[in-house]
Amino acid sequence: MSIYVGQYSDRLLLFGPDGVYGTAGIRDSAASIGTWSLYGLSEDPWVFELLFHAGLVIAVLVMLGVGGRALLAVHWVLIWSLYMANPGLMDGGDALASTATCFLLLTRCYSAFTVRRIRSEPVGVIASVCNNTGLLLLVTQVVVVYLMAGLYKVQGQLWQDGIALYYILSVPEFFLPGVTPFVLQSDWVLVIGAYATVLASVFFPVLVLFRQGRPLAVAVMLTFHLAIAVLMGLTSFALVMAAYDLLFVNHHVVRLHRRAALLRRALAGCREETVDERPVESTATLAGEHRRRVELAFCASRQRAVRKGCSGRVGKYHQGTRGDRCDDGASA
């Protein structure tokens, strides 16, 4: 979605039938590398507008978790066609995003996040195997990317000297006014950043093997990609890699969510106890009043029975005895 929105105003120039490549250029470029693009099928502007806006809408729906695997497959076709309409515009995140979409077709990603109500349904063996396979393919790809990138950097003399970032940030396309000059003037920042980049890339595959090391590895790489997005302007690439990194802390996120739910329930229970204290006391008071009324009613009925059915000393004795008891109880 960031690609569609970021290039929206210049879409005709970058991807249109009369743009940089043109329809014939898109078709020839895709055929030269053995692939295809829907943007090379027609030279009519309305076809281009239809494809571009359909891709934007579907990208938003996929992000919101709507449509399931069918819409995700359509999204992959449209985003790949957009990539191939101008390959020179891509920043490396395009290949990762396209392969990630293919792998996500195997997973149950829509059961984890969606704006719709999630229904709990039993998961079969085949669905579990496909989900785990897709997840394994995703994490394997990002591990290989980091490992190969780190090993290539280790072999470079500029990275060994710690001055590679200086030359990278000196490229005009990566220049950020107000920030880049400040970074270039700080030699120690450039050296630390260069060595930290190499070490983080090489040791990322090792840290993610252990559950305790995954939060640290992900935090370091998220910081690295945030710097790439800000200093170099490679926003799409940074977002794709950040999404890959977050796969490794799913367990930690679920555990934090459960703890938050337990804390929320505990706080709700405390509030209920505080609210219910007064009703409990009132109920006890009402129960005592009811019990006394029952005793008084029993005493009155007993007195009436004694007056009607008894006579002489026995009747007077029982009447006075029970009456005294009832009067004492009533006064109490």
Side-chain angles (χ1 to χ4, degrees):
M1 192 194 70
S2 68
I3 295 175
Y4 282 106
V5 174
Q7 314 299 336
Y8 187 83
S9 59
D10 298 325
R11 63 186 184 278
L12 291 174
L13 174 63
L14 298 175
F15 309 104
D18 297 325
V20 176
Y21 279 78
T23 304
I26 294 174
R27 192 161 44 240
D28 296 339
S29 176
S32 64
I33 58 178
T35 184
W36 45 267
S37 175
L38 296 180
Y39 290 92
L41 297 179
S42 176
E43 297 182 357
D44 293 332
W46 69 268
V47 175
F48 165 77
E49 295 290 352
L50 178 63
L51 290 174
F52 191 89
H53 288 88
L56 174 58
V57 173
I58 292 177
V60 174
L61 294 177
V62 169
M63 184 186 66
L64 297 177
V66 178
R69 290 185 175 90
L71 199 63
L72 185 61
V74 175
H75 167 68
W76 176 81
V77 172
L78 291 175
I79 194 64
W80 178 258
S81 298
L82 187 68
Y83 290 155
M84 294 299 102
N86 192 339
L89 188 65
M90 300 300 107
D91 55 12
D94 54 323
L96 294 174
S98 60
T99 53
T101 306
C102 294
F103 295 155
L104 284 175
L105 290 172
L106 298 174
T107 65
R108 294 183 292 108
C109 57
Y110 283 99
S111 64
F113 174 79
T114 176
V115 294
R116 300 178 304 168
R117 184 176 180 180
I118 300 177
R119 295 180 298 178
S120 57
E121 299 178 353
V123 180
V125 177
I126 297 178
S128 297
V129 172
C130 292
N131 178 79
N132 295 337
T133 302
L135 183 61
L136 182 61
L137 291 172
L138 287 168
V139 298
T140 301
Q141 183 181 27
V142 69
V143 165
V144 171
V145 168
Y146 281 135
L147 182 61
M148 298 304 296
L151 293 179
Y152 274 114
K153 288 183 176 67
V154 169
Q155 300 175 20
Q157 185 64 36
L158 296 180
W159 290 99
Q160 295 177 7
D161 297 337
I163 59 176
L165 290 182
Y166 175 82
Y167 291 100
I168 293 175
L169 297 178
S170 298
V171 177
E173 288 78 8
F174 299 150
F175 186 84
L176 182 63
V179 178
T180 303
F182 174 76
V183 176
L184 292 177
Q185 293 175 2
S186 304
D187 297 339
W188 60 275
V189 173
L190 295 173
V191 174
I192 293 176
Y195 287 132
T197 301
V198 176
L199 293 176
S201 300
V202 173
F203 285 99
F204 182 88
V206 179
L207 291 175
V208 296
L209 292 177
F210 307 96
R211 182 171 294 177
Q212 294 77 7
R214 292 172 188 171
L216 175 61
V218 171
V220 171
M221 297 314 297
L222 287 179
T223 304
F224 171 69
H225 292 304
L226 177 62
I228 288 180
V230 174
L231 296 177
M232 302 177 63
L234 301 178
T235 307
S236 176
F237 173 76
L239 289 176
V240 172
M241 295 305 298
Y244 268 102
D245 294 338
L246 293 176
L247 292 172
F248 294 94
V249 292
N250 178 69
H251 171 78
H252 300 80
V253 173
V254 171
R255 186 171 59 182
L256 289 176
H257 180 268
R258 290 176 179 174
R259 290 181 178 179
L262 292 176
L263 179 61
R264 185 170 59 252
R265 292 175 184 174
L267 294 176
C270 293
R271 288 195 297 267
E272 290 178 359
E273 291 179 0
T274 303
V275 172
D276 293 342
E277 284 180 358
R278 182 172 298 177
V280 169
E281 295 177 356
S282 300
T283 303
T285 304
L286 292 174
E289 292 289 340
H290 178 71
R291 185 168 56 253
R292 284 192 292 270
R293 291 179 182 178
V294 171
E295 291 179 354
L296 291 174
F298 174 77
C299 293
S301 61
R302 181 64 178 173
Q303 289 177 359
R304 287 193 298 270
V306 170
R307 293 193 190 99
K308 292 180 180 180
C310 301
S311 60
R313 293 173 57 189
V314 177
K316 293 179 181 179
Y317 172 77
H318 283 288
Q319 181 178 356
T321 304
R322 294 297 297 177
D324 294 340
R325 289 183 181 178
C326 294
D327 291 342
D328 294 339
S331 62

